[in-house]
Amino acid sequence: MSFDKSNPVIEINTLRKSYGENLVLNGFNMKLFEGENLVIMGKSGCGKSVMIKCLIGLEEPDGGTIMVMGKNINNLKREDLDELRTEIGFLFQGSALYDSMSVRENLEFPLRRHTKKFGFLEDTTPLVMEALENVGLANAINLMPNELSGGMKRRIALARTLILQPKIILYDEPTTGLDPITSKEIILLMMSIQKKYNTSSIIITHDVDCARVISNRMILLVDGINYKEGTFEELSVSSDPKVRAFFK
């Protein structure tokens, strides 16, 4: 998988975030390039989710800068931040489907909420069907979430992420809780979507197999900083004990 190293779509510099005495991020730096799959690995509670929340403006950092598609998100007005978020898709760890809505209604929700991007759509069916076809579940359009398996829920959540045609996708533990076969299917689906739409993706995962297959580059987040960066092959043969711990 190739990507454009001359064009960072996200650039984080010296990001700092504390909660009282708990220092979570202590000068974290990161670049995500156009068309890249960047895997971030770290222990539970190391700040991965906090970094993502800062990235999309849900948390305000104590210091540092976050540039997304050339815009400093800390300086954006609420309306401009909301518009920028339509270019960023987020696949939540638990899928986060609305239980009271059908699959169709779950996918229609972001279209109804973000009318500025597509305008008011009298008929959302073409966009809904395209998104479902991308994940191989066009026949599930009228099902309810409680009628879906765990793998199907993850696919539908990914379809909902794709429906706004984002340029950047953030994956939070995309294979957690899935059996090995379904995990492999989700990984292959993520790769297919990246190839089809040339999305730039950040993948937060503890799944070493997922990282090996999907990553162009990896960052190991340790003690609030980007401790080591490199390809899977480079990091997996490191003699550094802190790096080796990720590949046991």
Side-chain angles (χ1 to χ4, degrees):
M1 295 179 288
S2 61
F3 58 96
D4 184 359
K5 294 182 181 179
S6 68
N7 187 18
V9 293
I10 295 177
E11 189 167 358
I12 297 176
N13 290 304
T14 60
L15 185 65
R16 299 188 304 278
K17 182 65 179 178
S18 299
Y19 297 94
E21 298 295 320
N22 183 22
L23 179 62
V24 180
L25 296 171
N26 188 25
F28 179 77
N29 298 291
M30 185 199 81
K31 287 184 180 181
L32 174 69
F33 298 102
E34 184 177 2
E36 180 184 24
N37 284 335
L38 173 64
V39 166
I40 298 180
M41 298 185 76
K43 295 180 180 179
S44 297
C46 74
K48 301 186 300 296
S49 296
V50 173
M51 181 274 292
I52 290 293
K53 289 178 181 178
C54 291
L55 175 59
I56 58 178
L58 293 179
E59 291 272 8
E60 185 174 345
D62 299 329
T65 58
I66 302 173
M67 303 292 294
V68 179
M69 296 171 62
K71 298 177 181 178
N72 187 334
I73 69 161
N74 297 327
N75 296 336
L76 292 179
K77 297 178 181 179
R78 179 59 183 268
E79 180 181 349
D80 294 329
L81 180 58
D82 285 344
E83 184 176 350
L84 182 62
R85 283 172 177 162
T86 66
E87 304 295 343
I88 304 173
F90 201 144
L91 183 66
F92 296 94
Q93 182 175 334
S95 300
L97 299 178
Y98 297 104
D99 291 337
S100 61
M101 295 182 181
S102 68
V103 167
R104 174 193 284 274
E105 291 167 333
N106 265 280
L107 268 66
E108 287 176 334
F109 185 81
L111 293 175
R112 303 298 189 197
R113 184 178 179 185
H114 299 289
T115 55
K116 190 172 181 179
K117 186 163 187 176
F118 292 102
F120 179 77
L121 298 172
E122 291 188 8
D123 183 11
T124 61
T125 300
L127 286 176
V128 170
M129 289 302 298
E130 180 184 358
L132 288 174
E133 287 167 359
N134 280 329
V135 300
L137 285 177
N139 60 350
I141 187 169
N142 294 316
L143 297 181
M144 298 297 290
N146 63 6
E147 299 177 282
L148 306 173
S149 67
M152 292 173 71
K153 288 180 180 178
R154 204 67 55 91
R155 285 173 175 264
I156 296 299
L158 184 51
R160 187 176 61 185
T161 298
L162 291 172
I163 203 162
L164 289 179
Q165 300 173 10
K167 295 180 173 64
I168 299 167
I169 301 181
L170 311 177
Y171 295 95
D172 185 12
E173 300 287 358
T175 60
T176 292
L178 301 178
D179 62 82
I181 293 175
T182 305
S183 293
K184 184 176 181 180
E185 291 174 349
I186 293 297
I187 293 167
L188 292 175
L189 181 58
M190 292 163 61
M191 293 175 66
S192 172
I193 287 166
Q194 192 276 339
K195 184 176 181 181
K196 182 175 181 178
Y197 293 102
N198 195 37
T199 53
S200 307
S201 303
I202 296 174
I203 303 105
I204 292 176
T205 185
H206 290 95
D207 185 339
V208 175
D209 286 336
C210 175
R212 176 180 55 80
V213 174
I214 204 167
S215 65
N216 295 116
R217 188 166 55 94
M218 296 177 62
I219 290 178
L220 305 184
L221 204 169
V222 180
D223 299 328
I225 63 170
N226 43 313
Y227 181 75
K228 288 289 183 181
E229 299 185 26
T231 65
F232 182 92
E233 290 75 17
E234 291 167 344
L235 296 179
S236 64
V237 297
S238 172
S239 59
D240 186 324
K242 288 187 177 181
V243 176
R244 294 295 305 160
F246 286 94
F247 297 93
K248 289 182 178 179

